Amino acid sequence: HKYMYEQEEETHRKRMIKEEQKNVRDIVRRAVEEVRNKPEGEVLTPTTFRQAMTLPEQEEWAKAVLAELNAFEKNGVWTLMKPPPGVNPIQAKWVFALKKNRTGEIVRFKARLVARGDQQKKGIDYFETFSATPSTVSLRIFFAVANALDLDLHQMDVKTAFLNGEFTDREEVWMKPPEGVEVEPEMAFKLNVPIYGLKQAGRCWNKMCRNLRSLIGFSRCRIQNERSSCSCCLRICTKYSNCRFEL
């Protein structure tokens, strides 16, 4: 059994190396094509960290990268240490984006550090991934109820939302240092909370939100519909003087 396990690990490692090489070639090819086809005066969105550091806007991208790393440190996302024997840390990836206003002007250079969830192995660094998401039917019911009862609607966005989730006791995820972060050889980051890109990140965030909403009085709506996730995502609170709905 030990021999078969080692053979399986070696096969998996070789497959991951081939996939990574193919991904690098594809990224380089797309980056070259984007640079060649870039209209004069247009700001290019980089696809890799190295490309971001060679563009005219490298200072802005560097600030975005630093802001993301500072957010990780502030939230205690990871701990730098030497991984145990037999642990293969997954890789990290930088994702860059330009935030624009209604007129098309750039208002923010954004960099997000994500994990290569495609390198995770089920039963080792993740177990369950399901996370309820509202369907179109749920949204229609929500807006219909708000309209019928003349309720006020409020929208909320949580910055770095997934960093507020928590791993289960069985999950332990290790990640290699991302580009731009220099550490000693053989060191890796042990993730303390789920980050974007992990297969279980959405589920961990949803579980935290569900527990928090229960504490403040929200309970799952009793509407049952086989073709919608209404009963999972639509919640109602009657604890206060006014009835409140949340999706």
Side-chain angles (χ1 to χ4, degrees), residues 61 68 97-100 105-111 159:
W61 291 121
E68 180 75 351
L98 291 170
K99 297 297 181 180
K100 301 181 180 180
E105 297 178 352
I106 299 175
V107 295
R108 182 185 176 192
F109 289 76
K110 186 174 182 180
K159 191 175 181 180

Side-chain angles (χ1 to χ4, degrees), residues 192-208:
N192 302 321
V193 297
I195 67 173
Y196 290 89
L198 294 180
K199 292 182 179 294
Q200 69 269 49
R203 179 180 178 84
C204 295
W205 162 246
N206 182 272
K207 182 179 178 181
M208 191 281 296

Side-chain angles (χ1 to χ4, degrees), residues 110-162:
K110 186 174 182 180
R112 172 161 286 170
L113 182 60
V114 302
R116 287 284 304 274
D118 58 301
Q119 297 179 353
Q120 289 184 269
K121 299 184 69 175
K122 187 174 183 179
I124 297 179
D125 43 23
Y126 82 95
F127 294 89
E128 298 181 49
T129 61
F130 173 77
S131 176
T133 55
S135 65
T136 304
V137 176
S138 300
L139 290 171
R140 288 176 178 174
I141 293 176
F142 184 76
F143 290 128
V145 170
N147 181 66
L149 300 180
D150 193 25
L151 300 177
D152 294 328
L153 292 177
H154 298 274
Q155 180 181 355
M156 183 185 70
D157 182 36
V158 180
K159 191 175 181 180
T160 60
F162 281 8

